[in-house]
Amino acid sequence: MSKVALPIHLSDAYWETLHPPLLEAGTYAVDPEPYGPPWRPWEEVGAQEAATRGVFAPLGALSDGPPDTVLLTPGDMRGTGLIPERTEGYCMGINGSGGPNLACLGCRLPVGSRIDDCGQWQVVRLLPQAVGRLPGPLERPVMDWADLSADGPLWHGLSEYRDIPAGVALAHVVMASEGGPVEPAPGPVTELLGRALAALLPSGEGAKWLDLAGPGLGEPAAELLLVPVHPQTAEVWQPRGGAVAVPVEAALWAELAFPPHRTQLPAVGGLPAGVERDDPLPPHPRMPFWPSGDAFRHTLARMPTVQEPWLRAIYDHRY
């Protein structure tokens, strides 16, 4: 198993929707935040205790479960079985809401929870005390920055949920704006964040320029630069100039920087002479693109600067 960065898609999910596995086969991640029952309402936890947990703005509830659960895809599990009396779920699966629902087939002790209900990512969360490392094959080599491209190893099924990493990126842009106007570069940056930035921040003179930068793109002249987060190490690509690096999930960044090439021509050969294609244009989206509001607030709540009045006002506005 190879360790990867904690998937940013954990910050949101689509209600009453069946989700794919959160992680690729053969990989795992560690979630530092507490997870699982019991859950305590924000009013009971209080701002001071919440801040010690890294949460700086009101949320619905906080978990008193164990931190550092180990996440992996359900298909990578071996030697465990479901605990029949803990198969709670909403409608299409199980969610671990009653506590660990997986037990070791050898000792019968609870080891974690399988989650595959609608509105939740398919994942197994193993209790930290139930996990140990054994000698084995070498992990996957760390990917070079130059390998980040939309047609490369990052292109996977989670790309259809691009509004979630976009919501996280939006939170970082708003924080970096310091409450002033931001002007996104024309093209993919404006298409992704332009409408949301116009709704959240003031307009006018002195706007900070927001553009893309990273491996293969160079470093354009801008105060704010959208740069990739390494999918394995969680390292943020750093510009060499004085611009502020705004982290973006690697797959979304690659889609913006190097749009995947999709051709309507036959994969082999070509069309006969004199023949023209009559394919319909791709359908327009049903509504304009908006970054995920839940992912946006989830990210802001974990930034100490959300306590500043101007940013707290944006958070409380419930974008």
Side-chain angles (χ1 to χ4, degrees), residues 51-69:
T52 64
R53 301 185 181 197
V55 179
F56 304 95
L59 295 174
L62 292 177
S63 169
D64 268 350
D68 298 322
T69 51

Side-chain angles (χ1 to χ4, degrees), residues 44-94:
E44 177 183 329
V45 176
Q48 185 173 356
E49 180 182 343
T52 64
R53 301 185 181 197
V55 179
F56 304 95
L59 295 174
L62 292 177
S63 169
D64 268 350
D68 298 322
T69 51
V70 179
L71 281 61
L72 65 163
T73 192
D76 282 339
M77 286 301 300
R78 301 291 187 273
T80 61
L82 288 172
I83 302 174
E85 61 270 20
R86 290 187 178 176
T87 53
E88 299 90 347
Y90 172 66
C91 64
M92 298 184 184
I94 53 179

Side-chain angles (χ1 to χ4, degrees), residues 240-252:
R240 285 189 283 268
V244 175
V246 179
V248 181
E249 190 257 349
L252 176 61

Side-chain angles (χ1 to χ4, degrees), residues 14 49 80 92 115 119 125 155 237 245 254 258-259 269-270 281 295:
Y14 298 169
E49 180 182 343
T80 61
M92 298 184 184
I115 300 168
R125 284 183 177 265
W155 192 250
W237 188 89
F258 308 105
L281 294 173

Side-chain angles (χ1 to χ4, degrees), residues 109-149:
L109 291 176
V111 295
S113 295
R114 173 166 178 156
I115 300 168
D116 57 16
D117 203 358
C118 63
Q120 295 181 291
W121 298 101
Q122 290 188 42
V123 71
V124 167
R125 284 183 177 265
L126 293 176
L127 299 172
Q129 65 269 26
V131 178
R133 291 190 63 89
L134 297 175
L138 294 176
E139 296 187 2
R140 298 180 186 179
V142 176
M143 186 187 307
D144 291 331
W145 284 114
D147 294 332
L148 302 186
S149 68

Side-chain angles (χ1 to χ4, degrees), residues 273-309:
V275 176
E276 297 182 0
R277 294 189 69 96
D278 192 23
D279 296 319
L281 294 173
H284 290 286
R286 290 183 298 173
M287 58 186 67
F289 176 81
W290 279 96
S292 164
D294 285 343
F296 174 75
R297 297 185 79 248
H298 178 277
T299 306
L300 279 187
R302 287 155 177 80
M303 296 177 175
T305 49
V306 76
Q307 298 173 95
E308 297 183 13

Side-chain angles (χ1 to χ4, degrees), residues 6-10 20-24 71 73-74 121-123 158:
L6 185 68
I8 212 164
H9 290 78
L10 272 177
L22 179 68
L23 292 159
E24 292 184 88
L71 281 61
T73 192
W121 298 101
Q122 290 188 42
V123 71
L158 299 185

